[in-house]
Amino acid sequence: MPSADEASTSTSIAPEAPEAPTVPSAPTTFKSLGLIDPLLEALEQLKFTIPTDIQTAALPHALEGRDIIGVASTGSGKTAAFALPILQKLWEEPKGLFACVLAPTRELAFQISQQFESLGAAMGVRCATIIGGVDLVSQQVALAKRPHVVVATPGRLQEHLEKTKGFSLRTLKFLVFDEADRLLDLDFGPMIDKILKLIPKERTTYLYSATMTTKVQKLQRASLANPVRVEVSEKYSTVSTLLQYYLFIPLSQKDVHLIYCANSLAQNSIIIFTRTVHDAQRVSIMLRTLGFAAIPLHGQLTQSARLGALQKFKSGGRRILVATDVASRGLDIPSVDVVINYDVPTHSKDYIHRVGRTARAGRSGKSITLVSQYDVELIQRIEKVTGKKMELWPTDAEEVALLRERVDEAGRVATTEMKEMSMNGKFGRKRRRDDGGGGGRDDRDRDDDTMEAGMPKKKSKGRR
């Protein structure tokens, strides 16, 4: 199978995109940007009052019909930046399948579909979400109803293009790559290359990414025609409203200090990020045993369980979401007060995406990273990339000591429950294939947590 780079370069290379002004100063409202009344009404209902920087920069060029390369940090309003011009053009030309959006994860695909439907409610916009983990036949029925917008993960879309009779992208007017850097990091390149061969060359293409990697630049040249580049953030940066802290502790005391932080922040909504599926499930059980309203989110849950976990956290039914990096990119979860990194991410950009779940849309937020004696180099690298020093999170040694016995007992309960789940087949080391056949190849939203299948449990010993 060719690499993502090879797939991206198999088409003719487009010239470099000219730089556009970062943020034009004149437009200050959605109306002044040239949007039509049905979209303005939808924006008002959704309480989108002022365009974000990426929307202000991209919309004038998009409404002129230009291809767009949008580079902006997570939580900057990228979805509306590409959805609004597509919906405005659809109002003018209400034809069948009109746009296709490619997203790297299932949860992000659902979120994009919901935003299209919300923004296009007055227009009666129909969306189909085509992802792995969902029955193939039900998706074929949805495609047969001729949706205006298809939001898909690349593997499942390719499968429908090959297997579903009557379905094609021949009438497509818009193609969108969302979170393009992650699409290519997850090796979707060969699938994207096959999809590009099956869609009209005469189309408008938007490519949105948090970072401009070499692979993304090659995809840009292969798929966009004379694009305008709009960039509203520096590469690898965190927002100024985010307060970043660290807690330096022995590896054996990670659990008790995590519980100490959760206890002292009990009135806040918290996302705890772990490196592995195993720890996401274990920490979630431990938290629930100690009385915290926690729920896990990781790649070994069924699709309905993943969506259910997200919905419970968004609605406030659960105050703590314990997640792998499946939740670190693109998802718009409002009012997350605190992000806790139980494990220090290996890559600096993963840290930036994780902490980007809080302090969104101008709000303030906190991040706390648990640092053991083995993580010092990783933290130094993150601080160098972000250009910001983390502050020490204050702790009370006596309170931590008082918690130790209860946390150790909760840890034993969690370990026992994990063993029972594994014996009953409810939680295994192997990943399940997607429902509906052939979906295993589309299960690329597994992120770093699936490395767990080959990882020794070297960290578990000190925590018990």
Side-chain angles (χ1 to χ4, degrees), residues 15 32-33 38 52 58 63 68 107 109 117 151 164 186 190 248 269-270 294 339 341 376 380 400 414-415 420 441:
S32 65
L33 288 170
T52 65
L63 294 172
I68 301 291
E107 286 76 16
E117 289 174 348
V151 185
T164 300
L186 294 173
F248 187 60
S269 60
I270 304 171
V339 167
N341 288 307
V376 175
Q380 290 174 339
V400 172
T415 300
E420 291 175 355
R441 65 180 175 182

Side-chain angles (χ1 to χ4, degrees), residues 39 42 46 79-80 82-87 90 98-101 109-127 148-151 174 176 206:
L39 294 178
L46 294 170
T79 304
F82 63 72
L84 289 168
I86 290 173
L87 292 171
L90 179 62
F98 198 74
C100 177
V101 182
F110 269 106
Q111 181 176 291
I112 293 169
S113 287
Q114 289 170 355
Q115 188 141 24
F116 263 100
E117 289 174 348
S118 297
L119 290 170
M123 303 162 54
V125 169
R126 299 188 305 276
C127 292
H148 299 110
V149 180
V150 168
V151 185
F174 286 87
V176 181
Y206 302 147

Side-chain angles (χ1 to χ4, degrees), residues 135-390:
D135 178 59
L136 205 67
V137 175
S138 63
Q139 292 180 348
Q140 290 171 336
V141 171
L143 291 172
K145 294 179 180 178
R146 297 175 60 80
H148 299 110
V149 180
V150 168
V151 185
T153 48
R156 183 50 69 94
L157 179 64
Q158 182 193 338
E159 188 171 5
H160 278 287
L161 288 168
E162 293 172 351
K163 294 182 179 180
T164 300
K165 290 184 179 180
F167 172 64
S168 75
L169 299 174
R170 287 193 298 267
T171 63
L172 199 70
K173 300 296 183 185
F174 286 87
L175 175 66
V176 181
F177 300 101
D178 193 23
E179 299 285 356
D181 51 350
R182 188 153 190 222
L183 277 170
L184 298 174
D185 282 347
L186 294 173
D187 294 329
F188 279 129
M191 298 177 190
I192 290 171
D193 191 48
K194 290 179 180 179
I195 292 168
L196 286 173
K197 292 176 182 176
L198 299 173
I199 61 178
K201 288 185 170 56
E202 294 296 322
R203 66 174 190 271
T204 303
T205 306
Y206 302 147
L207 185 154
Y208 279 85
S209 183
T211 58
M212 281 302 292
T213 63
T214 303
K215 290 180 180 180
V216 173
Q217 288 172 342
K218 289 181 178 180
L219 176 62
Q220 163 220 313
R221 293 173 187 144
S223 59
L224 279 75
N226 191 27
V228 173
R229 174 169 170 159
V230 290
E231 186 168 359
V232 298
S233 67
E234 296 178 3
K235 186 179 181 182
Y236 302 140
S237 63
T238 53
V239 296
S240 59
T241 53
L242 173 68
L243 301 175
Q244 301 176 64
Y245 299 93
Y246 74 95
L247 198 51
F248 187 60
I249 40 92
L251 180 63
S252 60
Q253 295 184 24
K254 278 181 81 170
D255 283 351
V256 69
H257 280 85
L258 174 70
I259 299 304
Y260 172 82
C261 290
N263 210 30
S264 59
L265 296 164
Q267 302 306 311
N268 295 270
S269 60
I270 304 171
I271 299 181
I272 298 170
F273 281 106
T274 67
R275 184 177 294 122
T276 68
V277 169
H278 183 274
D279 270 342
Q281 192 72 31
R282 186 187 66 81
V283 168
S284 176
I285 295 170
M286 186 175 66
L287 284 162
R288 289 202 302 268
T289 302
L290 291 166
F292 293 95
I295 193 165
L297 175 63
H298 54 70
Q300 284 196 7
L301 296 172
T302 63
Q303 187 57 40
S304 60
R306 287 162 70 169
L307 291 173
L310 267 179
Q311 188 54 43
K312 285 178 182 177
F313 183 67
K314 284 184 175 182
S315 66
R318 298 289 186 274
R319 301 292 292 179
I320 301 176
L321 182 71
V322 187
T324 59
D325 281 321
V326 75
S328 69
R329 291 285 292 267
L331 297 184
D332 183 20
I333 306 173
S335 302
V336 176
D337 301 312
V338 183
V339 167
I340 299 177
N341 288 307
Y342 180 80
D343 295 304
V344 181
T346 307
H347 302 291
S348 300
K349 70 175 182 179
D350 291 333
Y351 170 85
I352 291 168
H353 290 305
R354 285 183 181 186
V355 300
R357 297 307 95 207
T358 186
R360 297 169 71 84
R363 293 188 291 265
S364 60
K366 297 183 183 74
S367 68
I368 305 169
T369 301
L370 304 186
V371 183
S372 76
Q373 62 269 37
Y374 305 109
D375 303 321
V376 175
E377 187 178 342
L378 291 174
I379 284 296
Q380 290 174 339
R381 192 184 307 160
I382 289 169
E383 289 182 332
K384 184 177 180 180
V385 168
T386 61
K388 296 178 181 177
K389 287 284 185 183
M390 299 182 200

Side-chain angles (χ1 to χ4, degrees), residues 73-94:
S73 58
T74 182
S76 59
K78 288 180 291 191
T79 304
F82 63 72
L84 289 168
I86 290 173
L87 292 171
Q88 180 137 324
K89 192 67 176 175
L90 179 62
W91 179 267
E92 299 169 6
E93 302 176 21

Side-chain angles (χ1 to χ4, degrees), residues 256 403-413 463-464:
V256 69
L403 285 170
R404 187 67 187 262
E405 187 175 342
R406 289 179 58 212
V407 173
D408 286 348
E409 176 58 29
R412 288 190 286 270
V413 170
R463 295 191 202 129
R464 301 290 181 261

Side-chain angles (χ1 to χ4, degrees), residues 48-68:
F48 291 179
T49 54
I50 301 171
T52 65
D53 288 349
I54 190 62
Q55 292 161 6
T56 304
L59 282 172
H61 301 291
L63 294 172
E64 289 174 2
R66 298 290 300 276
D67 283 9
I68 301 291

